[in-house]
Amino acid sequence: MSKDTVFPDPADTLTVCTSVDELKKAIRNIRAGNQTIGFVPTMGALHEGHFSLIDIAKQKTDAVIVSIFVNPAQFGPNEDFDSYPRQLQEDVDACKKAGVDIVFAPDRDEMYDDSTYLSIKIDTLNDYMCGASRPGFFEGILLIVNKLFNLIEPDVAVFGQKDIQQIQIIRQMVKEFNHGVEIVAAPIQRANDGLALSSRNTYLTRDQRTVAPGLFRSLQYIEQQIISGVNEPKLLIEHQKDELEAKGFEIDYLNVFTEKTLSPVTTLSKDERYILAGAAYLGKTRLIDNILIEL
Ligand code: PAF
């Protein structure tokens, strides 16, 4: 799609903007009608997980904006930026069906220029979990989400709970930078066998796809043990890691973290909220999943 195009769909239900100016114009129209705005940021390759976020945004607000942008700032040099699935026309068609009001699909130059000198530093919240193995990942996410929040000024923004560390770090940014937006965490959408939906699942071979739900099963097993009274889950977790490795997973992390500080815990206490989370590779595909635990 060319730059600077806003083309209302024939039924006048969806506007696709590829430039910031056109996005601002389309937002002014919404605000002129005193409508509230719900925002669902995505990197495209939309699946049922994304549509559940869009549904929540529709229930909570009058008009829904979906951004589709594969954000280069959140990919490391050896990560899958080039091969990340891109299917803009399909995504736009699906957004139209889902009743989205605006799709914002900028190209790289619209969001970044080469004289960018600023970044947002994160203290401690990215020391563990995905932050530990993906240096610069959450800084890249904050950079783009901060820009998008400034441009759109949404009333509500919906993110999937699968990316729980992303949500907690964005919540902190919203608080510290005074973005007037309510952050909503949407439940993880799963395939029938339990695998958390993700755009990256398309990378899995048939055999890997059969094994992939094992990560969630291990999390469920650990959760059940914790609920039945295990308050020092280290050995249990080590055992599940071994089982997953025997199935072909390469574990990045599997542990219990506090919901607030996102740091690992060894002894669990009553009346606390925890995140039981894991990330593991099957071949080149990195899978993540988590379960919230409230004792
Ligand atoms: O969750 C994602 O898809 C991305 O991290 C986000 C929030 C769209 C930022 O690029």
Side-chain angles (χ1 to χ4, degrees), residues 117-145:
Y117 293 107
L118 302 181
S119 67
I120 301 174
K121 185 175 172 297
I122 302 166
D123 273 340
T124 65
L125 287 179
N126 62 349
D127 283 354
Y128 299 98
M129 304 171 77
C130 296
S133 44
R134 302 187 68 185
F137 175 54
F138 288 111
E139 286 84 352
I141 289 175
L142 288 193
L143 199 58
I144 194 68
V145 174

Side-chain angles (χ1 to χ4, degrees), residues 26-46:
I27 289 173
R28 273 200 298 276
N29 288 340
I30 293 177
R31 291 294 187 196
N34 276 330
Q35 292 188 304
T36 54
I37 293 179
F39 176 42
V40 180
T42 81
M43 298 205 299
L46 303 182

Side-chain angles (χ1 to χ4, degrees), residues 39-47 49-51 53-54 65-71 74 84 91 95 103-106 144-145 148 158-159 166 199:
F39 176 42
V40 180
T42 81
M43 298 205 299
L46 303 182
H47 51 68
H50 294 111
F51 293 109
L53 311 186
I54 291 171
I65 301 180
V66 171
S67 63
I68 298 177
F69 180 64
V70 184
N71 173 33
Q74 70 189 73
Y84 197 86
D91 288 346
C95 282
V103 166
F104 178 48
I144 194 68
V145 174
L148 291 166
V158 190
F159 295 84
Q166 163 170 279
S199 305

Side-chain angles (χ1 to χ4, degrees), residues 43-64:
M43 298 205 299
L46 303 182
H47 51 68
E48 285 312 312
H50 294 111
F51 293 109
S52 73
L53 311 186
I54 291 171
D55 279 347
I56 293 174
K58 283 180 66 171
Q59 282 159 28
K60 287 184 158 281
T61 56
D62 302 318
V64 173

Side-chain angles (χ1 to χ4, degrees), residues 72-109:
Q74 70 189 73
F75 287 81
N78 298 319
E79 293 187 342
D80 56 344
F81 176 72
D82 289 332
S83 58
Y84 197 86
R86 289 166 173 83
Q87 46 172 60
L88 185 54
Q89 194 54 57
E90 250 179 275
D91 288 346
V92 167
D93 292 346
C95 282
K96 188 160 130 187
K97 273 208 197 113
V100 170
D101 297 86
I102 297 174
V103 166
F104 178 48
D107 64 18
R108 182 199 171 279
D109 294 348

Side-chain angles (χ1 to χ4, degrees), residues 103-280:
V103 166
F104 178 48
D107 64 18
R108 182 199 171 279
D109 294 348
E110 195 63 24
M111 297 313 291
Y112 297 110
D113 67 33
D114 291 327
S115 59
T116 300
Y117 293 107
L118 302 181
S119 67
I120 301 174
K121 185 175 172 297
I122 302 166
D123 273 340
T124 65
L125 287 179
N126 62 349
D127 283 354
Y128 299 98
M129 304 171 77
C130 296
S133 44
R134 302 187 68 185
F137 175 54
F138 288 111
E139 286 84 352
I141 289 175
L142 288 193
L143 199 58
I144 194 68
V145 174
N146 193 44
K147 277 169 181 280
L148 291 166
F149 281 179
N150 282 331
L151 287 172
I152 296 171
E153 298 184 7
D155 298 279
V156 171
V158 190
F159 295 84
Q161 189 208 302
K162 183 167 73 65
D163 301 304
I164 185 80
Q165 191 173 16
Q166 163 170 279
I167 297 185
Q168 297 302 80
I169 292 176
I170 288 173
R171 283 203 164 114
Q172 193 61 30
M173 177 185 76
V174 164
K175 189 170 149 213
E176 291 191 27
F177 289 10
N178 302 95
H179 284 291
V181 54
E182 177 195 351
I183 302 297
V184 174
I188 299 177
Q189 298 297 307
R190 301 185 178 279
N192 290 338
D193 58 9
L195 177 66
L197 299 187
S198 162
S199 305
R200 288 191 169 98
N201 291 350
T202 54
Y203 299 158
L204 295 168
T205 63
R206 192 184 289 209
D207 286 350
Q208 289 167 343
R209 176 63 190 80
T210 316
V211 173
L215 177 59
F216 180 50
R217 290 202 199 109
S218 281
L219 293 178
Q220 280 180 307
Y221 180 75
I222 299 166
E223 178 199 24
Q224 278 157 18
Q225 298 299 307
I226 290 175
I227 288 171
S228 359
V230 174
N231 72 338
E232 298 211 338
K234 189 171 185 301
L235 285 179
L236 178 66
I237 290 172
E238 290 310 317
H239 181 66
Q240 286 305 309
K241 281 187 184 171
D242 292 344
E243 299 238 315
L244 287 170
E245 273 167 4
K247 286 182 187 142
F249 285 91
E250 194 192 313
I251 309 291
D252 179 355
Y253 63 84
L254 185 67
N255 214 338
V256 184
F257 303 87
T258 67
E259 193 193 35
K260 198 164 171 220
T261 63
L262 305 178
S263 52
V265 272
T266 43
T267 308
L268 312 186
S269 333
K270 282 254 170 279
D271 301 321
E272 285 291 339
R273 289 162 64 90
Y274 298 104
I275 301 166
L276 167 61

Side-chain angles (χ1 to χ4, degrees), residues 204 208 248-250 280-286:
L204 295 168
Q208 289 167 343
F249 285 91
E250 194 192 313
Y281 287 90
L282 271 178
K284 288 203 162 104
T285 310
R286 190 169 185 278

